[in-house]
Amino acid sequence: MAEFSIIERYFKRASKSDVSLGIGDDSAIVTPPSSQQLVICADTLVAGRHFPLDTTAHAIGWKSVAVNLSDLAAMGAKPHSILLALSLPTVDHDWLAGFSQGLFDCCDQFGVSLIGGDTTQSTQLTISVTALGWIEQGQAITRAGAQVGDYVCISGQIGDAAFGLQHLGHPLQQRLDYPTPRCHLGQQLKGLASSMIDVSDGLAQDLGHILNASKVGATLQLEQLPIDQSLKNINLRQAWHYALAGGDDYELCFTISPQNFEKLSRQQLDIPLTIIGKITQQTGLLFEYMGENCPLQIHGYQHFA
Ligand code: ADP
Ligand code: MG
């Protein structure tokens, strides 16, 4: 089957009304809502590197969209559409059917359209998605605004995906295969959070990016980390390691003043939030356990490391 029939069969769908021109021409056309800024990001998934080789096609499709929507969420942006650059070793119809279904399931859940892309043959299965979203002028939440005295907060639970990767078949593998981008929460934090990042490479490393960009430090209370009880039951130190260095969580880590946290708590939230620490003048990331200093060696995921 040739490139065009693959696109036609698996990826072309009727465009939503807010897409002026979708798949089928040389480029797509989108009319930005007035006074909004375009927020764009791209993320690539390489087979065997970003997901285990036996991951289902459906999960790969879901995850390739979800990781990008998570990046948009981390800016406070409302997701709009994606482009898909797909490199396939062979044309496997069962795989393409599962993959496109997973991709559209994620798109549908978050109101996103697939508006274009590219399809090529290559030895390695590689999926690169570009995501577009909107935000009101000047409202984006960057990594650079953390203030001394702010709370450090995290959505949901962390460490699940890293644990799932080490224990394939465990129910927590679901969190590795089907991450949930926190799109709604990200938008709720506009005007409230002082800085934000999505946790993809481990909380310690990703929070480190906020600290560096904001030129501050933080102290985290290890007993506050929202970690699944089944991880803590096995081994507490190992559980901290999954939570701080594991990665693939796709939760939002943000900083917020105590006053704004009060305002946020009065809103309807679709995911639990936990205060895990505080921003400090002293740079660097420190850990405490039950009020005592608790030094830990943590290394997040890095390509080429
Ligand atoms: P061109 O040769 O002009 O780059 P292509 O033949 O690559 O165009 O693509 C034809 C149309 O199909 C374009 O609108 C492109 O955006 C879309 N397209 C190609 N591959 C994909 C894909 N994997 N998913 C979604 N749209 C795709
Ligand atoms: Mg092309």
Side-chain angles (χ1 to χ4, degrees):
M1 182 181 251
E3 182 190 341
F4 301 115
S5 340
I6 296 173
I7 299 165
E8 195 68 36
R9 181 148 157 197
Y10 296 107
F11 298 111
K12 196 163 171 176
R13 287 210 185 166
S15 294
K16 292 196 307 173
S17 57
D18 59 356
V19 176
S20 306
L21 184 62
I23 293 173
D25 215 307
D26 293 309
S27 303
I29 303 179
V30 172
T31 309
S34 58
S35 77
Q36 306 249 325
Q37 289 179 297
L38 173 62
V39 184
I40 325 174
C41 61
D43 239 323
T44 300
L45 301 187
V46 178
R49 180 158 281 264
H50 297 95
F51 52 84
L53 288 170
D54 58 0
T55 307
T56 66
H58 187 274
I60 297 169
W62 173 281
K63 192 167 179 175
S64 62
V65 179
V67 301
N68 279 281
L69 300 190
S70 179
D71 277 325
L72 292 182
M75 307 303 290
K78 181 178 181 0
H80 175 268
S81 45
I82 60 164
L83 294 123
L84 167 69
L86 190 58
S87 297
L88 300 168
T90 55
V91 175
D92 174 338
H93 289 285
D94 286 343
W95 191 90
L96 279 164
F99 173 80
S100 58
Q101 189 60 51
L103 177 134
F104 282 120
D105 283 349
C106 191
C107 284
D108 291 346
Q109 179 144 343
F110 296 97
V112 166
S113 308
L114 174 63
I115 60 169
D118 198 25
T119 308
T120 55
Q121 194 184 16
S122 109
T123 51
Q124 182 91 316
L125 169 63
T126 307
I127 303 131
S128 187
V129 170
T130 301
L132 286 67
W134 310 120
I135 198 156
E136 296 79 2
Q137 195 85 34
Q139 288 282 295
I141 307 167
T142 68
R143 300 174 178 185
Q147 303 290 322
V148 175
D150 283 353
Y151 293 142
V152 178
C153 296
I154 186 97
S155 64
Q157 277 187 180
I158 47 172
D160 295 351
F163 179 83
L165 180 63
Q166 297 298 319
H167 301 82
L168 296 176
H170 188 281
L172 285 176
Q173 191 191 336
Q174 187 76 2
R175 293 266 292 145
L176 173 72
D177 291 343
Y178 290 96
T180 309
R182 304 302 180 192
C183 297
H184 185 237
L185 174 64
Q187 293 169 71
Q188 277 183 303
L189 288 167
K190 281 180 293 185
L192 294 174
S194 52
S195 71
M196 179 148 63
I197 192 166
D198 69 319
V199 180
S200 53
D201 297 327
L203 174 65
Q205 179 168 307
D206 289 327
L207 174 57
H209 295 315
I210 284 186
L211 303 182
N212 288 337
S214 303
K215 301 188 174 66
V216 292
T219 303
L220 297 190
Q221 271 70 49
L222 292 168
E223 70 277 12
Q224 300 299 337
L225 294 177
I227 302 176
D228 196 88
Q229 194 58 46
S230 62
L231 270 71
K232 292 200 236 178
N233 289 346
I234 299 173
N235 177 325
L236 192 57
R237 279 199 166 255
Q238 187 61 42
W240 292 340
H241 193 82
Y242 284 126
L244 293 167
D248 263 350
D249 299 297
Y250 300 102
E251 294 296 345
L252 293 178
C253 174
F254 59 94
T255 59
I256 187 167
S257 69
Q259 305 87 288
N260 283 353
F261 187 83
E262 274 302 307
K263 284 190 202 164
L264 180 64
S265 319
R266 287 197 288 272
Q267 294 185 30
Q268 184 73 36
L269 298 170
D270 44 16
I271 181 82
L273 301 179
T274 311
I275 299 173
I276 55 171
K278 247 187 176 170
I279 294 296
T280 57
Q281 183 107 55
Q282 174 71 47
T283 55
L285 179 57
L286 296 178
F287 302 103
E288 285 180 1
Y289 182 62
M290 301 295 186
E292 300 284 325
N293 193 24
C294 184
L296 291 179
Q297 279 298 328
I298 302 291
H299 301 284
Y301 187 79
Q302 278 192 47
H303 290 276
F304 310 110

